[in-house]
């Protein structure tokens, strides 16, 4: 699961590097801009490779933090995330997609493994213990589960609550999305330009 998360992102960055490199080699245009994009993508790739190798370190830190007594977190379930709370304050949001619940040695508790619901977390991987009988539901989500929703099901992904849940740090969200959008637009232009040249 951890390897798959990073492998998917590594493959996407490598595909982008190949497209930009091919365009730069064949067209000989925008050399400075493409060089900067290639350097930025290589830096992202190095970061992702470094993060991919940290699972053992993260797991050993989790085990040490939960010795001799396990730290039990309070969970609040939302439509798209599990909100981990500490002293009533939200500590982290774990995305419901690809989350895993595993049994622990103490049968009363469950171990949850998942990734933060933010776009640019330094280390999105999260491992927590929680008591399944103590899960609470966010008020709007509880009403939706009982059929009280004014928004059609297919539009709920675009609800303000879901967008707010995914944003995390606003500066990271804006900066990261502008960078990603810029690269996607350039990649589409480059692919179309290469296809026109060879057709």
């Amino acid at each position: 699961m951890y390897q798959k998360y990073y492998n998917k992102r590594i493959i996407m960055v490598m595909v982008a590097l190949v497209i930009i490199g091919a365009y730069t080699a064949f067209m000989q245009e925008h050399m400075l801009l493409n060089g900067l994009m290639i350097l930025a993508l290589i830096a992202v790739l190095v970061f992702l490779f470094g993060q991919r190798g940290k699972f053992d370190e993260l797991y050993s830190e989790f085990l040490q933090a939960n010795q001799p007594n396990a730290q039990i977190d309070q969970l609040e379930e939302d439509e798209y995330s599990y909100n981990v709370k500490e002293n009533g304050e939200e500590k982290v949001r774990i995305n419901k997609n690809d989350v895993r619940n595993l049994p622990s040695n103490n049968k009363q508790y469950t171990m949850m493994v998942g990734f933060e619901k933010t776009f640019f977390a330094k280390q999105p991987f999260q491992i927590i213990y929680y008591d399944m009988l103590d899960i609470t539901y966010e008020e709007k989500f509880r009403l939706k589960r009982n059929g009280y929703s004014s928004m059609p099901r297919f539009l709920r992904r675009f609800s303000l609550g879901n967008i707010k849940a995914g944003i995390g740090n606003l500066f990271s969200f804006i900066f990261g999305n502008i960078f990603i959008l810029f690269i996607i637009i350039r990649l589409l232009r480059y692919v179309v330009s290469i296809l026109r040249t060879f057709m």
Side-chain angles (χ1 to χ4, degrees):
M1 173 185 170
Y2 184 84
Q3 300 289 329
K4 184 179 168 187
Y5 177 88
Y6 282 104
N7 286 342
K8 188 164 67 172
R9 283 151 180 77
I10 286 168
I11 288 168
M12 287 192 291
V13 173
M14 287 176 123
V15 167
L17 274 170
V18 167
I19 292 170
I20 294 170
Y23 180 83
T24 307
F26 288 120
M27 302 299 178
Q28 302 289 315
E29 295 175 354
H30 310 293
M31 300 291 276
L32 180 62
L33 179 63
N34 291 346
L36 290 173
M37 282 197 300
I38 287 170
L39 287 174
L41 289 173
I42 288 171
V44 169
L45 203 58
V46 168
F47 174 76
L48 291 173
F49 272 113
Q51 293 296 95
R52 190 178 69 169
K54 287 188 176 177
F55 176 76
D56 292 335
E57 179 186 327
L58 292 170
Y59 189 63
S60 66
E61 282 176 16
F62 168 75
L63 290 177
Q64 285 174 3
N66 287 280
Q67 298 283 334
N69 297 321
Q71 293 180 357
I72 310 306
D73 290 298
Q74 174 67 43
L75 274 191
E76 178 186 70
E77 187 174 351
D78 200 341
E79 190 162 1
Y80 299 103
S81 63
Y82 293 104
N83 307 327
V84 181
K85 301 213 163 184
E86 189 173 38
N87 301 325
E89 296 289 320
E90 187 178 296
K91 186 167 79 170
V92 69
R93 286 177 181 262
I94 297 176
N95 197 346
K96 276 189 177 180
N97 286 345
D98 299 327
V99 78
R100 300 284 185 273
N101 287 300
L102 308 164
S104 65
N105 291 334
N106 185 336
K107 303 297 181 197
Q108 182 184 352
Y109 302 118
T110 306
M111 186 167 79
M112 178 185 284
V113 180
F115 294 91
E116 272 190 58
K117 190 173 177 59
T118 53
F119 288 106
F120 300 99
K122 187 174 180 183
Q123 180 48 261
F125 187 64
Q126 298 293 322
I127 310 171
I128 62 160
Y129 281 127
Y130 71 98
D131 188 343
M132 200 172 274
L133 300 175
D134 283 344
I135 289 184
T136 57
Y137 297 104
E138 191 261 335
E139 186 64 22
K140 288 180 185 173
F141 176 62
R142 186 180 63 75
L143 292 172
K144 283 177 189 174
R145 279 176 57 108
N146 292 329
Y148 300 103
S149 178
S150 58
M151 188 175 285
R153 193 169 207 43
F154 66 92
L155 287 177
R156 289 183 194 164
R157 281 227 175 261
F158 307 104
S159 67
L160 184 61
N162 187 43
I163 291 169
K164 274 172 37 183
I167 288 175
N169 183 339
L170 187 62
F171 177 76
S172 296
F173 175 75
I174 292 169
F175 176 75
N177 281 320
I178 289 172
F179 177 69
I180 289 169
L181 189 64
F182 176 75
I183 287 189
I184 288 171
I185 290 169
R186 298 302 288 192
L187 290 175
L188 290 173
R189 272 190 56 208
Y190 293 170
V191 167
V192 168
S193 182
I194 289 170
L195 289 174
R196 279 185 184 161
T197 304
F198 291 108
M199 291 182 136

